[in-house]
Amino acid sequence: MSQYAALRANVGLLGTQLGDTVRNQLGDAVLERIEQIRQLAKQARQGTEAENQQLKQILAGLGDDEILPVARAFAQFLNLANLAEQYHTISKAGHSSIEKPEPLAELLTLLQQKNVDLAKTRQAVADLSIELVLTAHPTEVTRRTLIYKLTQIADCLAELEQDLTAAQRHKIELRLSDLITQAWHTNEIREQRPTPVDEAKSGFAVIETSLWYAIPDFIRELDEALTPVLGHGLALDAAPIKFSSWMGGDRDGNPFVTAKVTRQVLLLSRWKAADLFSRDLEVLGNELSMNLANQALRDASGNSSEPYRDVLKQLKNKLLYTRDWLTEALKHDRLQRPDDLLWHNAQLLEPLLLCYRSLLDCKMAVIANGKLLDTIRRAYAFGLTLLKLDVRQESGRHTQVFSEFTKYLGLGDYAQWDESARQAFLLNELASKRPLFPKNWQPSAEVQEVLDTCDIIARHGSEALSTYVISMAGQPSDVLAVQLLLKDAGISFPMRVAPLFETLADLTNAPECISKLLGIDWYRGYIQGKQEVMIGYSDSAKDAGAIAAGWAQYSAQEALVAICRQAKVQLTLFHGRGGTIGRGGGPAHAAILSQPPGSLAGGLRVTEQGEMIRFKFGLSQLAQRSLALYASAVLEGVLLPPPVPKAEWRELMQQLATDSCEAYRAIVRHHPDFVRYFRAATPELELGQLPLGSRPPKRNPNGGVESLRAIPWIFAWSQNRLMLPAWLGAGSALAKVVAQGNTTTIHQMRREWPFFATRLSMLEMVYLKADAQIAAYYDEKLVPNELKHLGVELRNQLEADSKLLLQLIDAKDFMANESWIRESIVLRNTYVDPLHILQVELLNRVRHAPETVNDNIKRALMVTIAGIAAGMRNSG
């Protein structure tokens, strides 16, 4: 029996149920047509050209009334296949077939094998700090209402794994049919773009349905795994993994994120926390009915006969009162906050801990460490603000504030000053005790918006806010400017301010910038020995290609670690990764272990975005597993750091970076036909019509590729399966160093250096997902004849690069040693292929015969985009 038999059985079951739904709703003829297309796609994948041509003819010949149901059937199937795969990773049947089924157990075995010092392990566990930052980039194409139904379907699959009677099985299968029919009759494409508040609510929904349960379960799992090794469990206040958010705080390039929106999201986050904790207390009130209590609890309850219930009831009433006040506050721009609200986490924890200690004192530890401990763990992980919010803004917006202000004062234009003049002005004002901005100053609306945002930060405090991220930061003044704005707003806590280094030039300049910043006495005093720096993966890869960007990120991190170590400053690196390879994506465990030694000493902060949030955290058990993967990787990276690369490795890596960047830019930046080819060969222009995220797809609506955000840039190339940003330049650079006789060194680097091994592994995954035949079909039907030569050139390059990598890794097939990833990709191809062919047909109609395009055609095109994104998984 195949190790993936259970996965394929579940995929088959869900596919059959979907087929039954289609038959019931649309009749046998439509189902037969869909099944014919599926069979032809399967045969075409096995190399039968006749079936391939027949498949294209049938799809091109579909009538207007057939196109939409066919597109929807394949798109819905891919959502169901994704769900079956997610469930497989946490099912009993899937345990033996997935990568790292028991990450924590494997880690502890490895530490024992390597004789890692116990004291070091204890310290690493005590210091374990992982912050996952949920971001709402426009890659999640599945609506929340469908996500709910998919979660319910996963519950049915779990039930079907149990020993059931025929009647019980029939009942569950009826529920599956019910849910899949609901999904079929639900519009999978949003009618309107989500607002930033809608995006924030999606983040809250992930916590409510999944992470709320996963966090205490994960910490319990970690505690039980570590106790036999360390001789003791985790501290009661342990919160090794916390969550923050950019949803409602990331205003870089998003005009819809305003100070008013940020305030609304901060209040909604508190509302949801109050609601979730009040539900916990309802359960605890039913459970903690015992009378025996210590004196402290008796005093707090007024010597009640049910002291636990009474203390928790008081807490619950305060939570409900707070929730009611927040409901009103959301209706008004300003509402006076009463003193008796639950606003600080200590107010939530104090009664919970009082009950916990009383239970321990009265020899009821088994009760204390049950549901009450789970709620305490949630209180430390989420608190009364649920998710801490980051604020991100582009450095030019802060420059604009001071430019307007210095002109108003008659001091000249701050924007035109050199770095030393800017620093002198900022440091002088930071040392001043008077307010900076006079009350009678009337700034422009854009400047006022920046000031209003700082006012919101100051009002909501350190429990609600996390880091102020500055994009396009290049100089110390970019950081000092934010510090001054926050000070003038009356901020009462030292908010972390993190410069974000994104482009190749930014990353190269990052060490010098941070070195100068740490050389400023005022700044050193302010940061109290802690510095956060954000490393951008998306824009650097778009700017220079994946290999050059990867090496620039590695080199910058390495230099920053050394600078901060010398300055005795704890560095936290914040990784702005996307879901795809072209944006720093890939398996989290491997990515963490490929970082430079010492880079995890200050903890790990990383973005989780778009559809990856659902794929990693959408189901509670799946989230628990994802958290265990993160924790095991960070502990391993700290206790068993990767080797420092040898001089010859660095030299070769630098050559690869230089050559790959040159080859990448020769096409993307300098080829005269590239932009026109890109727009013809991919649905880039049509992507703008898909109501995905709240943020506009371009920074500059009139600009070319350079103004396109990294996400739609990657998304577009994944739609036509050329996957260009993730591989362009890499293969030609490798070919050059191989021709120079460096094959032995490359093999050594792959064996001994996780950073390089991960780069090659990511290329393997990209080459397996890329499909030159599908890309050629897009060219054949959509690209003008005078531009087709570029497509031929790129596909030839892809073929040559693929062959070279197979030689270098000594393999016949890509991902041969990662059968789980390979199975995942191969499983989807049969269902993605028809969507590609259909998309080409629809793009052809939309572009060349717009008069024939009705709402059905427009919607079908959107469905193919969403379906291909689901099939490609890490598409953005």
Side-chain angles (χ1 to χ4, degrees), residues 12 43-44 82 116 252 290 296 355 436 438 560 572 586 641 658 662 694 729 757 792 809 842 872:
Q43 289 160 2
N82 282 345
V116 174
D252 176 26
M290 52 288 307
C355 290
L436 175 64
L560 290 168
T572 298
T658 303
E662 197 176 291
S694 68
V792 173
I809 63 173
L842 292 163
M872 297 304 291

Side-chain angles (χ1 to χ4, degrees), residues 134-155:
L134 307 182
T135 72
H137 288 283
T139 55
E140 173 56 271
V141 292
T142 308
R143 292 177 61 207
R144 250 190 302 164
T145 181
L146 282 173
I147 291 169
Y148 166 79
K149 296 179 203 324
L150 291 169
T151 305
Q152 294 285 303
I153 290 169
D155 290 342

Side-chain angles (χ1 to χ4, degrees), residues 71-86:
R72 292 192 70 226
F74 282 95
Q76 292 234 10
F77 180 82
L78 285 162
N79 275 324
L80 294 172
N82 282 345
L83 179 80
E85 186 184 302
Q86 278 181 299

